[in-house]
Amino acid sequence: MEHHLRLEDLRPACTVLGILPHEPITVVSVEWFGSDAIELTYKSASGGVANELLYRGDEDRLKIITQGRPWSFDGDGAVFRLVSEAQRIRLAHLFDPLLAIHTSDVEPLPHQITAVYEEMLPRQPLRFLLADDPGAGKTVMAGLLIRELIARGGLERCLIVCPGSLAEQWQDELSQRFHLHFDILTNDKLEAARTQN
């Protein structure tokens, strides 16, 4: 679709009518002289390359046929770095299969690594009962599993059911070791919720 352009619309790879008689040209480069004049380097349909000075008064005779490349290198570098770092973190589990161990304050024992990484994580959907002896490190295994599932995008909400006397211990361990912040669900909170859900 043709439309009139301004000098600012001329960018590499766009096709323009009005420079050569009855022949479109492809823009190679644009160099500004002040704010009202440019030196246009272009390629003709036959492949010849030429230059021409264009001024604001030339805008009326020019028509753009196809836009140039929609991308450029004038984006915000800080935003790009933020997005690329977020993407790197989102995919970190693909490059570091023990991501949760390396990003948590724990030194798991061999049986804990085996349970989480060889038995629990490979099973999707996960239907698993973790029932080790007291002191075997169920909190560590649960924290590792939760961190890995979050990194893989497989966990949105999490409810941990434990004996009431251990609720604060679980909350503290998961916060200190894994930076997982859980609220303790009490009767008061349930009653205060508008939907009691």
Side-chain angles (χ1 to χ4, degrees):
M1 179 177 166
E2 296 182 358
H3 66 276
H4 289 281
L5 55 75
R6 302 182 67 228
L7 294 181
E8 285 82 356
D9 296 328
L10 294 172
R11 53 180 175 265
C14 72
T15 306
V16 180
L17 280 175
I19 302 291
L20 296 177
H22 313 296
E23 182 182 344
I25 60 94
T26 302
V27 176
V28 174
S29 68
V30 176
E31 183 178 359
W32 282 90
F33 296 97
S35 60
D36 295 316
I38 62 170
E39 181 181 19
L40 179 71
T41 303
Y42 63 89
K43 189 183 335 183
S44 66
S46 60
V49 176
N51 291 27
E52 183 167 341
L53 287 173
L54 296 175
Y55 303 91
R56 290 291 177 193
D58 296 316
E59 290 177 338
D60 290 339
R61 69 181 171 93
L62 302 177
K63 287 185 180 177
I64 193 163
I65 299 175
T66 59
Q67 294 286 345
R69 60 180 181 254
W71 46 267
S72 64
F73 294 102
D74 58 358
D76 186 332
V79 172
F80 174 76
R81 280 191 296 277
L82 179 65
V83 171
S84 62
E85 182 69 3
Q87 183 74 350
R88 186 185 70 80
I89 292 170
R90 190 177 73 82
L91 299 175
H93 67 278
L94 297 175
F95 304 97
D96 184 359
L98 305 179
L99 178 66
I101 293 175
H102 298 139
T103 57
S104 303
D105 186 21
V106 290
E107 292 183 11
L109 298 171
H111 75 276
Q112 295 169 329
I113 295 173
T114 300
V116 173
Y117 291 95
E118 294 180 20
E119 298 296 333
M120 297 166 79
L121 274 177
R123 300 182 190 215
Q124 294 295 332
L126 181 65
R127 302 285 184 268
F128 207 93
L129 176 64
L130 178 61
D132 266 331
D133 294 330
K138 291 183 293 297
T139 311
V140 169
M141 287 184 265
L144 289 174
L145 179 65
I146 292 167
R147 284 295 300 264
E148 290 291 352
L149 289 177
I150 289 172
R152 288 163 168 74
L155 180 64
E156 294 179 11
R157 296 184 300 170
C158 183
L159 174 67
I160 296 174
V161 180
C162 65
S165 59
L166 298 177
E168 290 184 2
Q169 179 182 331
W170 270 81
Q171 184 185 42
D172 291 342
E173 290 278 318
L174 291 173
S175 177
Q176 291 170 7
R177 293 178 180 269
F178 300 99
H179 313 291
L180 297 169
H181 304 293
F182 283 85
D183 292 324
I184 296 176
L185 188 59
T186 62
N187 287 335
D188 291 342
K189 284 191 177 181
L190 283 175
E191 290 170 3
R194 186 169 53 84
T195 61
Q196 293 192 336
N197 182 353

